[in-house]
Amino acid sequence: MTAGKFITLEGGEGSGKSTQVAALASALRAEGLEVVETREPGGSLGAEAIRELLIHGASDRWDAMTETLLHYAARRDHLRRVVWPALDSGAWVISDRFADSTLAYQGYGQGLDLAAIARIHEAAVGDFRPDLTFILDLPAETGLRRAAARKGGGERYEGMGLAFHQRLRAGFLEIAKAEPLRCVVIDAAAEADGVTASLLETLHSRLLAA
């Protein structure tokens, strides 16, 4: 049995990741693939419990190191219980966020030393990486407006101020620049259907062309 593929969608608040995860999963299932949709923080029972600690409460509830440790505790459980078993079974896994979000939010956004995050990543995850990462890019102001209008908005990270979200966007673009073979930047300011079409075109050329 051939192992599945791990696809991640990254980006700032309001970039439309959840919508595009669902659209990609639907399109791939229509092509006969088994697909698991998931998210971070969360995706497993233990990780979802940690998610509640991370997304609710005051924006200064945790410092950057504490947040990073919580994210990696959730990530490790998510990988062990959901992602790795699904990939081993031959399923494709599409995740709304993964490790790039920790690097962008806690590193570029909150100023935690990037080397410290890399050491925690190595200890918790090892050399496991996504097969393909889409970074949904749009101006921070646009994303925050979308997030504010979204039902169920008001999570901790949305209240961290425009300058934080501008650093966050710049961080995601730096990550994409550093790993062009894995990361593809997609204009998320376009209409949702157009974004989906761009994602599918890239996915086919990168992972399904053979």
Side-chain angles (χ1 to χ4, degrees):
M1 180 181 293
T2 303
K5 300 293 185 182
F6 184 41
I7 301 164
T8 57
L9 277 74
E10 300 282 5
E13 304 301 318
S15 58
K17 298 179 311 309
S18 299
T19 297
Q20 296 304 328
V21 166
L24 275 181
S26 178
L28 291 177
R29 288 184 183 119
E31 297 184 29
L33 295 170
E34 181 184 353
V35 180
V36 174
E37 298 172 59
T38 191
R39 68 177 182 177
E40 287 203 355
S44 64
L45 186 62
E48 288 291 335
I50 296 172
R51 178 185 177 88
E52 291 301 307
L53 299 175
L54 284 162
I55 69 171
H56 296 304
S59 59
D60 61 353
R61 182 179 187 182
W62 314 108
D63 69 3
M65 176 57 81
T66 305
E67 284 190 6
T68 298
L69 294 169
L70 287 168
H71 276 291
Y72 270 98
R75 182 162 298 132
R76 176 74 185 179
D77 191 68
H78 180 221
L79 287 170
R80 288 184 60 247
R81 298 184 183 278
V82 176
V83 177
W84 287 336
L87 293 174
D88 288 343
S89 75
W92 287 45
V93 179
I94 306 177
S95 183
D96 179 346
R97 298 199 184 282
F98 188 59
D100 292 319
S101 279
T102 305
L103 195 61
Y105 275 73
Q106 282 69 53
Y108 289 98
Q110 294 177 298
L112 185 62
D113 180 51
L114 300 183
I117 297 175
R119 289 192 294 270
I120 295 168
H121 182 94
E122 174 64 25
V125 178
D127 61 0
F128 177 73
R129 294 290 187 276
D131 295 286
L132 180 62
T133 295
F134 292 110
I135 294 178
L136 303 186
D137 178 59
L138 78 170
E141 299 90 337
T142 303
L144 288 172
R145 283 197 300 271
R146 286 183 178 181
R150 180 180 61 201
K151 182 179 180 181
E155 295 176 354
R156 284 183 63 239
Y157 292 111
E158 293 169 19
M160 289 187 174
L162 179 59
F164 167 81
H165 291 278
Q166 290 171 333
R167 294 193 301 273
L168 181 64
R169 182 191 187 191
F172 276 122
L173 294 176
E174 283 296 316
I175 292 167
K177 183 179 178 181
E179 294 193 59
L181 297 179
R182 175 176 68 85
C183 299
V184 179
V185 178
I186 300 291
D187 179 10
E191 292 295 325
D193 287 347
V195 174
T196 303
S198 296
L199 296 175
L200 285 170
E201 180 181 0
T202 302
L203 188 149
H204 278 83
S205 65
R206 294 283 187 107
L207 299 182
L208 288 172

